[in-house]
Amino acid sequence: MIDVRNVSRQYYSRTAVDNISFSVKPGEVVGFLGPNGAGKSTTMRMLTGYLPPTRGSIQVAGHDVLTDSIAARREIGYMPENVPLYTDMRIKEYLRFRGRLKGLSGKDLRVRVGDVMEQCGLTHVRRKMIGTLSRGYRQRVGLADSLIHQPKLLILDEPTNGLDPNQIRQVRDLIKSLSERHTVLLSTHILSEVEAVCDRVVIINEGKIKADDTPDNLVSNLRRAGTVFLEIKADPAKAEELLRQVPAVKQVTLQNSADGWHWFVIRAESGTDTRQNIARLCSAQGWDLRELGRKSANLEDVFVELTQRQF
Ligand SMILES: Nc1ncnc2c1ncn2[C@@H]1O[C@H](COP(=O)(O)OP(=O)(O)OP(=O)(O)O)[C@@H](O)[C@H]1O
């Protein structure tokens, strides 16, 4: 459904997207994850034909988004990060207007407007002015707009950004129900959203793709990478230095200090277990040891691991 090949995008001297390739198969729900400024919106704008890539090619449903732009856009429902809406129009009126712009008319238009209002839970508020709607309802109008021409592919840029927890749940349920009939690519930095709705995750950082896998595989790869946590009473700088020298240890991070106790997260090479050597080190140095264990990884750990240079 989406095929991105060696795509880069330059803004003057800044490379926002740097030679990325990925694909999305029909029926998949793919989460596009990355910290602020990673290149998510730039990629989505290129996918939807709003922004030409500096290099590379993008196909959507078999159409090149540059050379066959209209055909590609017919297959895409796009909800940008800040949904631009006409605040002095009523919901139904706005959706009729948008439907006409997308080539619908007559009975087709009437039926589609009714259907998308129903799908997005807008029927009971259809006569409300858009300007009086809460942010959650505005997002629903944005979604209804993106669905009106029955696109095969939905591209949603941070669909739950700025919503309260109840609204997030409602919009997330809505996306889940849409995923039964559409291929979905959604960008977010809310990890629970990805775990709740996505079959696959593409993680982007500093314009480059850092991972492309199922949420479960990403988490179990990190778990295999042997992350260990340790709580000790010791001089933290010295402890950090000596822990780094333990065989197979790749990275030592002091996460927390309180009452003289220091909490370290230690990353080691894949498939290794450094706990015995760390216990020996603590004993040889006479450090008080309160906890030493394997960390059960989650998607948040994967995200931090792959993108932490940003923070
Ligand atoms: N029109 C533009 N002109 C110049 N630089 C831009 C422009 N749009 C984006 N950038 C830069 O490109 C990089 C990627 O931006 P982009 O908006 O794609 O990131 P993002 O992952 O969507 O971030 P966020 O989660 O904050 O929306 C950033 O460094 C940003 O400052």
Side-chain angles (χ1 to χ4, degrees), residues 7-235:
V7 165
S8 298
R9 171 70 205 193
Q10 204 93 20
Y11 292 114
Y12 308 100
S13 61
R14 184 176 169 78
T15 306
V17 169
D18 190 1
N19 195 23
I20 64 168
S21 298
F22 67 93
S23 53
V24 177
K25 293 191 204 77
E28 269 191 314
V29 179
V30 175
F32 198 45
L33 273 182
N36 290 125
K40 302 182 296 293
S41 298
T42 302
T43 304
M44 290 192 149
R45 283 192 210 120
M46 291 192 287
L47 286 174
T48 50
Y50 283 84
L51 197 66
T54 313
R55 273 183 301 280
S57 73
I58 302 175
Q59 301 245 326
V60 168
H63 308 287
D64 187 291
V65 293
L66 274 191
T67 57
D68 202 1
S69 164
I70 300 285
R73 286 192 210 193
R74 269 202 193 106
E75 311 288 4
I76 300 173
Y78 175 42
M79 185 166 125
E81 192 171 356
N82 296 302
V83 184
L85 296 170
Y86 292 112
T87 49
D88 53 357
M89 281 178 109
R90 294 176 198 282
I91 294 176
K92 188 174 170 185
E93 185 188 5
Y94 174 75
L95 291 173
R96 285 185 63 83
F97 164 69
R98 293 291 298 163
R100 275 198 299 272
L101 281 184
K102 294 181 187 184
L104 297 170
S105 61
K107 188 174 170 226
D108 270 358
L109 177 64
R110 241 188 352 269
V111 170
R112 284 306 298 153
V113 169
D115 284 354
V116 292
M117 286 195 305
E118 195 62 45
Q119 232 175 329
C120 298
L122 290 167
T123 310
H124 63 295
V125 288
R126 63 191 177 279
R127 289 194 192 86
K128 272 202 166 187
M129 297 290 272
I130 288 173
T132 67
L133 296 176
S134 68
R135 209 184 145 91
Y137 271 93
R138 286 180 194 216
Q139 295 295 89
R140 291 180 191 214
V141 176
L143 260 183
D145 175 356
S146 69
L147 287 168
I148 201 153
H149 56 300
Q150 293 184 289
K152 290 184 187 141
L153 170 66
L154 283 177
I155 296 184
L156 313 174
D157 197 354
E158 301 198 18
T160 57
N161 195 15
L163 302 186
D164 71 33
N166 287 328
Q167 293 170 330
I168 288 179
R169 189 169 303 163
Q170 287 164 3
V171 171
R172 187 187 292 160
D173 287 346
L174 187 53
I175 293 169
K176 233 177 172 170
S177 72
L178 294 175
S179 69
E180 286 160 17
R181 272 186 273 170
H182 302 266
T183 305
V184 182
L185 179 71
L186 76 108
S187 84
T188 179
H189 24 227
I190 304 174
L191 296 155
S192 54
E193 198 155 289
V194 173
E195 277 168 330
V197 301
C198 298
D199 307 315
R200 194 153 59 81
V201 189
V202 175
I203 297 182
I204 184 169
N205 190 34
E206 295 174 340
K208 292 197 169 79
I209 292 196
K210 298 286 177 183
D212 179 350
D213 212 332
T214 63
D216 283 352
N217 282 349
L218 288 173
V219 169
S220 65
N221 285 345
L222 189 68
R223 202 173 290 139
R224 273 201 297 281
T227 303
V228 164
F229 60 81
L230 171 72
E231 195 177 21
I232 49 172
K233 214 170 227 183
D235 169 17

